[in-house]
Amino acid sequence: MDEYTTGQVARATGLSEKAVRMYVDRGLLDARRTSADGPRLLDGGQVERARLVRLLRGVGLSLAEVGDVLAAPDPVPAFDAVWSDRRSALAASLTAAEYVRSALVGAPRLDVVVHRRHVPERLVLGTERRATLAELPSVLPEATGAVFAVLRAADVPLAGHPYVEIHERATEGFAARLTLRVPVPAPVRPPSGFALTTDDAHEEAYVALTAAEARDQERLVLVHDYLASGRALAGGVPAGDDREVYLPTWEAGGPGPVMEVAVPVAPAPGP
C-alpha cells in the first residue's frame, strides 16, 4: 500500500502541510509513524479523506462539524443536516447585508409588512428587569410568571396581550433594562417590585413574526432597528420604546404569527 508524507498529502490536495498536520492532530486524518521521531505517513484513503476535509472546510464547516460528517455512517444526510442550518443562517446574513447597505445609502429598508393600529388608553401592570442577550430567554419567562402570579392572587384577568418594553439594547456584555407589562381591566394593588401605570392612547406600527422569525435573533434585531429608524412609519416618528408583543400562539409556536415588534408612533413634525 502506498504511503505519503504530510508534505506529499499537502501537495496532492492543495492544503498546507501545517493544515494536514493539524487535521491529523485533531483526529480528522489517520497517520502512523515508523519511529518516535519519524515522519507521519498517510495511506491513499487518507489522501482522499483530506480532499473531503478541504471541501467541507471550504464551505465554512467547523472542524467539529467536519468530524461529525465524516464519522457518520452515511455522510450525505449528515452534511445535509449541517448545511440546512447554514443555508438558514446565510439567508439571514444576506437579509442583514441588504439592510446594512440600504442604511449606508441613507434609506434603511427591510422586506417586511408594517401594519398600523390604534391602541386605546389602558391600565398595565409591570415589573422591570435587567438582562444580557444570553439571559433574555430565562429572564423573560421568569418575569412573565411573576406577573401572572400577581394576577392570579388578585383574581384579575388579562385585558390584552403581554408585552415587553425594551428601554435599552441588550448585548452579550451589557444587561439592558426592560419592563414586562400586561394590560388589566381594573386597578390592581401592585406588590413590591411591580407598578401599575397607564399606557396612554396612541398609534402603533408593528411587524408580525412567525415562530421561526422570532427565534432568528439577527432578523429580530433588524426589525427593531427598522421600526426605530422611523423609515417605515409613513410620515410618523417613533414616540416611545420598542415593544415585543406576545400573542396567544406564542407558547405553541404557531400557527401563524406568535409575536409582534411594535413602536408607538406620533405624527411627524411639520416643516
Side-chain angles (χ1 to χ4, degrees):
M1 178 183 296
D2 292 335
E3 290 185 311
Y4 306 88
T5 65
T6 54
Q8 290 171 324
V9 172
R11 288 190 292 274
T13 59
L15 292 165
S16 69
E17 188 171 357
K18 180 180 179 181
V20 174
R21 291 196 299 267
M22 178 182 70
Y23 296 156
V24 171
D25 292 339
R26 293 292 297 268
L28 296 176
L29 299 175
D30 290 330
R32 72 178 187 90
R33 291 184 186 271
T34 55
S35 61
D37 57 353
R40 288 186 265 199
L41 300 176
L42 296 85
D43 64 31
Q46 293 303 300
V47 175
E48 292 305 313
R49 186 178 173 93
R51 291 194 177 100
L52 290 176
V53 172
R54 183 189 177 198
L55 288 174
L56 292 168
R57 292 287 286 159
V59 294
L61 270 65
S62 69
L63 291 177
E65 289 169 333
V66 170
D68 290 342
V69 169
L70 295 182
D74 186 343
V76 174
F79 172 77
D80 288 345
V82 174
W83 193 242
S84 177
D85 292 339
R86 289 302 171 102
R87 275 199 301 263
S88 298
L90 177 60
S93 295
L94 290 174
T95 298
E98 288 299 320
Y99 180 79
V100 169
R101 188 179 187 282
S102 69
L104 292 173
V105 171
R109 62 183 184 276
L110 193 62
D111 185 20
V112 294
V113 178
V114 180
H115 305 275
R116 293 287 283 268
R117 65 185 165 210
H118 177 74
V119 179
E121 182 180 284
R122 56 190 177 171
L123 288 173
V124 291
L125 178 69
T127 182
E128 186 174 299
R129 295 289 189 275
R130 282 191 174 274
T132 64
L133 192 61
E135 293 168 342
L136 284 174
S138 59
V139 169
L140 290 179
E142 177 276 323
T144 304
V147 171
F148 279 26
V150 172
L151 295 182
R152 286 193 297 270
D155 195 24
V156 173
L158 284 173
H161 303 317
Y163 64 94
V164 174
E165 282 188 3
I166 302 173
H167 310 299
E168 301 162 317
R169 179 63 53 82
T171 67
E172 292 295 343
F174 176 72
R177 185 170 60 92
L178 51 92
T179 303
L180 178 76
R181 302 191 192 277
V182 294
V184 292
V188 177
R189 176 171 293 180
S192 177
F194 292 79
L196 184 67
T197 58
T198 299
D199 186 24
D200 293 332
H202 61 273
E203 297 299 310
E204 193 169 75
Y206 69 96
V207 173
L209 301 178
T210 64
E213 291 169 333
R215 288 193 300 268
D216 185 340
Q217 190 64 39
E218 190 170 27
R219 183 173 181 82
L220 190 58
V221 169
L222 291 181
V223 173
H224 275 285
D225 283 346
Y226 188 44
L227 291 178
S229 74
R231 298 284 183 172
L233 303 186
V237 294
D241 293 326
D242 287 8
R243 304 175 175 194
E244 290 181 359
V245 183
Y246 298 96
L247 306 180
T249 49
W250 172 258
E251 288 291 339
V258 302
M259 174 201 285
E260 295 165 350
V261 178
V263 64
V265 179

